Amino acid sequence: MATSLERVLHQAKNENRAALIGYIPAGFPTVEGCKRAIDVLIDSGFDAVEIGYPYSDPVMDGPIIQEAADQALRNGVKAKDVLATLHHATERGAAAVVMTYWNPIEQFGVDEFAEAIAQAGGSGVITPDLSFEQAQPWNESAARAGINTIYVVAPSTTDERLRKVTGITSGFIYAASLMGVTGTRTSVSHSAQELVARIRQVSDLPVAVGLGVSTPEQAREVATYADGVIIGSALIKELLGKDFDKGLLGLQELALSLAAATKSANREVRGVQ
Amino acid sequence: MTATVDTGLFGPYGGRYVPEALIAALDELAQMHQELKNDQSFAAELSHLHKTYSGRPSILTEAHRFADYCGGARILLKREDLNHTGSHKINNVLGQALMTKRMGKKRVIAETGAGQHGVASATAAALLGLECVVYMGEEDTKRQALNVARMRLLGATVVPVTAGSRTLKDAINEAMRDWVTNVETTHYILGTVAGPHPFPVMVRDFHRIIGDEARAQVLELTGALPTAVLACVGGGSNAIGIFYPFIDDKSVRLIGLEAGGDGLETGRHASAISGGRPGVLHGARSYMLQDEDGQTIESHSISAGLDYPGVGPEHAHLYDIGRAEYWSITDKEAMEAFSLLCRTEGIIPAIETAHALAGAIKLGKELGPKATLLINLSGRGDKDVQTAAEYFGMV
Ligand SMILES: Cc1ncc(COP(=O)(O)O)c(C=O)c1O
């Protein structure tokens, strides 16, 4: 059976547009605050949300997500809060996944974690530090639970390895736009488009581009060639160090313009084709 | 020919848990490490540096007066403290710096806790004309201010890391982030036998010279193998370096001494094996300090170089299969041993190393005069004079 994520991506494809995917760590700025931020994203037209599992040693993340995760951990966020946040998003009817470093899964229990994600209505898990060589136990547990295994590929990933990694991926392929960590950037690296083209040579799965996509202009640009646009740090920046209600308004404004930009992009470009 | 890159597993430990962006660089490194094993010119180049620059082979010193406090056991010190830059760290750094040259990269980065690995990296970078950036937890830049100055004198840039616990683990996180971003031009000289494959095997191979030399030296001096080999364990590089050539000598006990901080029972320690459980940290599975969710717990030790919540995967495996033992030594026990070596032998050891000496005192008392204990004197204590003087109320 298809996951909600797969259905949403399929629908976006039928509508000839890219899906818009937002990332926010559970427990940031608080457990309840995060749920309200997720509501804002869903109501503004985001197609799917990634719930981050805050982790003590986030080597893939730049200063913004580090700070947000740190704040969540200082608030005492636990595995149950991550799952409750996921459940909140899926109850609201959104397609939702969890993005987490590997150790929290291993400590929760690999089978148990996959099952808990499915129970909360989650579509899958993005595992940015689970290398292909170490992935088999997780892939088996996820398959049993019927959830997607979403892996990240990078500009440095060789064609041979792209074939392997996309071979164990489901839902969508997460294309890291550049060599680096999460954060806002002033432009989207040209390596993103090249990477998406290389992925298309070896896989029919939807491809979503993330890392550094920050503004509506960048989202529109990525939406011309990718099946999904992933926004993380830019959303979090709206809430970081701000009065929560004011932050939410800023988040809503950004979210609406990102949604408008993403949806307008493909119509223009593919309409011409 | 496409090399089959082995996965770097020690039983269930090791492997690679890293962002995909690093895989290509790790593959390149693993392949080069394999090729260089049979490369005479590389071996000759490294061996020349050992002889003419860092001062190898390091000598073996018999500690007669210190032995009186170890139940009369024979105490042999492998003097890595006499290496250029003052610790075993230079063995690994020279090897990786030469590899950096061969890869055609011009910039190296390193993490450092006590500052010894940072100093060694800055030194090798100066020698070979490489740009060098060292990440160091802000807390450690204070504890080891002298080494920060040494690195800067050597031309390196020292970046204080203010994230998390501001110690070694956070310095490693920051070095990994730099590496992910600059991997095309930059080599990450990881300073211990932790991290993703091939670091644990590669760093071990650069340090096994300690054990190879020591084994021959002990045999020549005593006509027999030692009863036990002891070394302090932070990430575990000096320990695996001296243990490795003895692994097949089943009669020889291998004992790693972890930092016990205020004591295992207080929870304020850095004993990943004696006080932790398996998990994934910094790219590999091993023992580590973590809460029930798998969040890393901050470690505590008077010794910056041992103040790390993880340990190399090969140690985890040696522990599980019962080939090596790991004991926990408190700050207090380590400082007593530190003071004792100063006063009985005229050698000021690194506080890291003092943990191994404290282990020898315990084991010697247990085994008595028939035992011969080989201890890796991994570093000298110049960098720790301030900390020790404060500890003993001398300033
Ligand atoms: C003198 C000395 N010994 C030991 C260590 C601990 O490292 P490892 O366990 O990798 O030998 C350090 C680390 O800084 C050190 O400086």
Side-chain angles (χ1 to χ4, degrees), chain A residues 32-43:
Chain A
E32 290 313 309
C34 178
K35 291 177 185 167
R36 286 183 59 196
I38 288 168
D39 293 345
V40 166
L41 297 183
I42 297 169
D43 294 342

Side-chain angles (χ1 to χ4, degrees), chain B residues 86-89 112-117 147 168 191-194 203 207 232-240 303-306 311 315 349-353 376-380 383-384:
Chain B
S87 80
H88 69 291
K89 299 283 180 188
T112 199
Q116 290 304 94
H117 176 60
N147 269 343
L168 183 54
T192 191
V193 285
V203 176
H207 278 306
C232 66
V233 176
S237 68
N238 89 88
I240 208 74
S303 147
L306 304 184
V311 65
H315 287 291
I351 295 177
E352 290 77 17
T353 312
N376 195 357
L377 205 80
S378 60
R380 62 180 180 237
K383 69 185 176 60
D384 295 316

